[in-house]
């Protein structure tokens, strides 16, 4: 009875753990697609026409700054479509349904104006201009968020403009938006920095608007105090920080402690970067609970994203810091570590479940030539066997005659052969140690062979040299 109960408990535990935690070597991060376009100012991913074939929206630096739509057609193959949106509307900012009419809105920025392009119906791409507004943006990026902070049933556009503030426009009807207010944060420049809605971090029943700044290492949290009225409820100053806190993101409880997180990345001279995670211990209180100092590029482009790349329901953080793309995972309460780092300099990324398998893919730009898709893919049994075989190494690889040679990393189920330069088998050491007494100097090869798996038998050959 006790053994049966123990087995049942183990079965329940196994059913609650993600596949990757039960078999960590059965998955790997792999680039599964590459397209010959790069995002110059912005990168957006989503399924605007609801056909289960998500699109990538990006603007290419070339004649006219065209905006491209790349639609997934299956197997991580993309059809390239020019959107037809005028060249002056060149930087896609976000996909949403701001006026809640069931048709997707694409918010796009031009040199001076902000535009909304909408789908003709629920099964169309957003190609028709339905709203625009002129801003004194001085051609700078205007990060925008769609949210309903005052929870009155009407979404607001929070537009981080260049004049040190955020302007708020509320949806008042189909494709109609009216100016409501301007948000300031203690005379510090929250305009032009990124802004994102957070999932009620302080658990007071109201979501927050989280904004970075262009100076002082400060970030700001706004809440609605009544209908169409908002105020800065907290300023979080990051210690030992010099420079901009431009890039922000939000996550729904990455370390499973009951508190959602706000993430911020900032840069200062000389190329000193800091990534920080913020949590709330109480109403309108926000504290840094983890930070990492790294080398980035002050004159590069930076981007943050949050997504579940391995399908375990625990989000990961992706950062492009102007020098590399880093993917972070939670490894404990308020603890994070890098699980992948790839050199790249463009600084734009987005998460999206492109193939609909419940795991997000990470899309990011590489230099000025391409955009790639990184996926967490399952590795077959045969491929795992080959990977283990590839871990077998010969040490030392150059020896004097009479010195024993050992195969490091050899598993008991692998067989070993030693071949001479003509390909003849001259030894089959069962213990993985080849004793070279009486062997002539020259080139030899060890071959580790694995068991047959799914009709495939892997083998890995290593070269060694015997000298006098």
């Amino acid at each position: 009875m006790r053994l049966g109960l123990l087995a049942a408990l183990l079965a329940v535990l196994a059913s609650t753990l993600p596949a990757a935690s039960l078999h960590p070597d059965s998955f790997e991060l792999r680039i599964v697609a590459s397209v010959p376009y790069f995002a110059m100012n912005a990168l957006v991913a989503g399924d605007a026409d609801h056909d289960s074939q998500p699109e990538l929206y990006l603007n290419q630096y070339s004649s006219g700054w065209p905006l491209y739509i790349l639609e997934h057609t299956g197997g991580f193959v993309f059809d390239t479509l020019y959107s037809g949106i005028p060249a002056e509307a060149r930087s896609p900012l976000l996909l949403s349904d701001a006026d809640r009419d069931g048709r997707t809105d694409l918010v796009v920025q031009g040199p001076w104006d902000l535009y909304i392009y909408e789908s003709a119906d629920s099964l169309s791409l957003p190609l028709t201009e339905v709203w625009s507004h002129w801003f004194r943006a001085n051609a700078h990026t205007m990060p925008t968020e769609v949210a309903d902070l005052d929870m009155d049933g009407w979404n607001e556009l929070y537009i981080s403009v260049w004049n040190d503030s955020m302007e708020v426009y509320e949806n008042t009807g189909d494709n109609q938006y009216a100016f409501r207010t301007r948000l300031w944060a203690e005379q510090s420049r929250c305009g032009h920095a990124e802004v994102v809605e957070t999932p009620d971090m302080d658990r007071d029943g109201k979501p927050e608007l989280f904004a970075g700044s262009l100076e002082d290492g400060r970030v700001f949290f706004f809440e609605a105090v009544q209908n169409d009225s908002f105020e800065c409820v907290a300023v979080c100053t990051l210690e030992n920080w010099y420079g901009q806190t431009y890039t922000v993101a939000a996550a729904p409880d990455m370390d499973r402690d009951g508190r959602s997180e706000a993430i911020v990345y900032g840069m200062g001279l000389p190329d000193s970067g800091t990534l920080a995670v913020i949590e709330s211990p109480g109403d309108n209180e926000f504290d840094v609970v983890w930070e990492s100092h790294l080398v980035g590029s002050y004159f590069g482009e930076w981007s943050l994203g949050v997504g579940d790349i391995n399908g375990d329901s625990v989000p990961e953080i992706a950062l492009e810091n102007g020098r590399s793309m880093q993917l972070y995972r939670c490894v404990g309460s308020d603890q994070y570590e890098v699980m992948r780092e790839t050199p790249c300099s463009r600084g734009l990324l987005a998460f999206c479940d492109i193939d609909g398998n419940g795991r997000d893919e990470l899309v990011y730009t590489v230099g000025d030539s391409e955009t790639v898709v990184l996926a967490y893919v399952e590795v077959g049994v045969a491929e795992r066997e080959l990977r283990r075989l590839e871990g077998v190494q010969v040490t030392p690889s150059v020896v004097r005659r009479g010195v024993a040679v050992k195969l490091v990393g050899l598993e008991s189920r692998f067989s070993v052969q030693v071949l001479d330069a003509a390909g003849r088998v001259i030894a089959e050491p069962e213990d993985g140690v080849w004793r070279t007494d009486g062997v002539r100097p020259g080139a030899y090869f060890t071959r580790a062979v694995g068991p047959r798996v799914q009709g495939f038998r892997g083998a890995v050959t290593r070269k060694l040299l015997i000298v006098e």
Side-chain angles (χ1 to χ4, degrees):
M1 178 64 71
R2 292 180 180 177
L3 289 177
L5 179 60
L6 178 60
L9 290 174
L10 290 175
V12 171
L13 176 62
S15 68
T16 62
L17 293 174
S21 65
L22 293 174
H23 304 286
D25 61 345
S26 63
F27 288 84
E28 70 176 14
L29 289 165
R30 183 183 300 170
I31 291 178
V32 294
S34 174
V35 294
Y37 302 94
F38 67 94
M40 186 65 189
N41 285 27
L43 174 64
V44 174
D47 186 10
D49 54 358
H50 304 101
D51 62 354
S52 299
Q53 297 181 173
E55 309 90 33
L56 308 181
Y57 298 79
L58 53 87
N59 62 317
Q60 178 89 39
Y61 179 71
S62 60
S63 177
W65 289 67
L67 191 152
Y68 289 94
I69 299 176
L70 311 178
E71 185 168 52
H72 181 238
T73 59
F76 295 109
V77 176
F78 293 84
D79 273 350
T80 303
L81 308 172
Y82 174 67
S83 69
I85 293 175
E88 62 268 16
R90 61 195 186 194
S91 299
L93 298 179
L94 61 89
L95 287 171
S96 180
D97 182 8
D99 57 356
R100 302 186 181 183
D101 62 357
R103 293 173 289 181
T104 302
D105 299 311
L106 174 65
V107 181
V108 182
Q109 181 189 335
W112 302 98
D113 297 68
L114 197 73
Y115 302 85
I116 294 180
Y117 285 80
E118 190 174 64
S119 302
D121 53 51
S122 62
L123 301 177
S124 302
L125 294 174
L127 300 179
T128 303
E129 180 185 329
V130 294
W131 185 80
S132 66
H133 190 79
W134 181 81
F135 291 89
R136 193 180 298 277
N138 195 24
H140 291 280
T141 304
M142 295 183 291
T144 302
E145 178 68 302
V146 173
D148 182 14
L149 288 192
D150 56 3
M151 296 180 288
D152 63 355
W154 299 94
N155 281 325
E156 298 92 27
L157 299 176
Y158 297 87
I159 305 166
S160 188
V161 297
W162 182 246
N163 61 349
D164 301 345
S165 68
M166 281 187 288
E167 296 190 5
V168 183
Y169 290 77
E170 188 171 50
N171 174 235
T172 58
D174 187 34
N175 300 324
Q176 299 178 41
Y177 300 86
F179 176 77
R180 289 293 185 245
T181 187
R182 181 173 289 112
L183 302 184
W184 298 82
E186 297 186 355
Q187 299 182 355
S188 185
R189 296 195 294 169
C190 62
H192 180 55
E194 286 190 358
V195 58
V196 66
E197 182 184 17
T198 61
D200 188 15
M201 292 181 62
D202 58 358
R203 303 168 295 284
D204 62 355
K206 297 183 291 185
E208 300 86 16
L209 196 70
F210 177 47
S213 69
L214 299 185
E215 57 186 18
D216 301 334
R218 294 192 287 178
V219 291
F220 310 102
F221 293 88
F222 296 87
E223 281 186 0
V225 292
Q226 59 185 12
N227 187 40
D228 297 337
S229 179
F230 314 89
E231 68 178 20
C232 180
V233 296
V235 179
C236 187
T237 301
L238 306 171
E239 301 296 332
N240 303 317
W241 194 300
Y242 173 75
Q244 305 175 11
T245 57
Y246 178 86
T247 310
V248 299
D253 193 8
M254 293 182 289
D255 59 354
R256 293 298 186 261
D257 63 354
R259 299 177 180 180
S260 56
E261 296 91 7
I263 306 107
V264 56
Y265 176 73
M267 279 298 305
L269 290 172
D271 293 339
S272 175
T274 302
L275 178 67
V277 176
I278 299 171
E279 288 185 356
S280 173
D283 187 33
N284 296 336
E285 298 179 17
F286 301 89
D287 297 328
V288 175
V289 295
W290 177 86
E291 66 180 19
S292 176
H293 299 280
L294 50 97
V295 177
S297 174
Y298 183 81
F299 295 103
E301 295 184 54
W302 324 316
S303 184
L304 267 178
V306 172
D308 182 11
I309 198 168
N310 59 8
D312 62 356
S313 300
V314 179
E316 286 78 39
I317 304 169
L319 165 69
E320 280 216 30
N321 61 29
R323 290 179 182 267
S324 65
M325 187 285 295
Q326 296 178 324
L327 189 63
Y328 290 80
R329 63 183 173 189
C330 179
V331 293
S333 179
D334 300 328
Q335 297 294 320
Y336 303 87
E337 69 176 15
V338 176
M339 61 186 293
R340 183 184 178 96
E341 182 169 11
T342 303
C344 56
S345 60
R346 176 52 54 189
L348 296 167
L349 57 82
F351 279 99
C352 182
D353 183 6
I354 293 173
D355 59 355
N357 67 352
R359 296 193 294 266
D360 289 327
E361 282 74 42
L362 177 60
V363 185
Y364 63 96
T365 52
V366 180
D368 294 339
S369 60
E370 63 177 337
T371 297
V372 300
V373 178
L374 181 71
Y376 197 67
V377 298
E378 187 171 7
V379 179
V381 177
E383 190 171 354
R384 294 203 302 272
E385 288 294 318
L386 182 59
R387 184 186 296 172
R388 293 191 181 98
L389 278 168
E390 289 173 344
V392 177
Q393 301 294 327
V394 175
T395 180
S397 58
V398 179
V399 300
R400 292 188 178 276
R401 183 171 56 176
V403 176
V405 175
K406 183 177 181 181
L407 274 73
V408 178
L410 188 69
E411 299 183 18
S412 60
R413 54 204 178 87
F414 299 157
S415 60
V416 179
Q417 297 175 330
V418 180
L419 300 86
D420 62 14
R424 294 171 298 198
V425 177
I426 62 172
E428 294 182 301
E430 295 183 358
D431 57 359
V433 178
W434 181 40
R435 294 159 182 83
T436 62
D437 299 306
V439 177
R440 294 181 180 180
Y444 294 85
F445 301 88
T446 64
R447 183 169 64 188
V449 182
R452 187 175 297 276
V453 176
Q454 295 179 348
F456 171 79
R457 174 170 289 173
V460 172
T461 301
R462 303 297 184 199
K463 182 179 179 179
L464 63 97
L465 188 64
I466 295 179
V467 297
E468 287 286 0

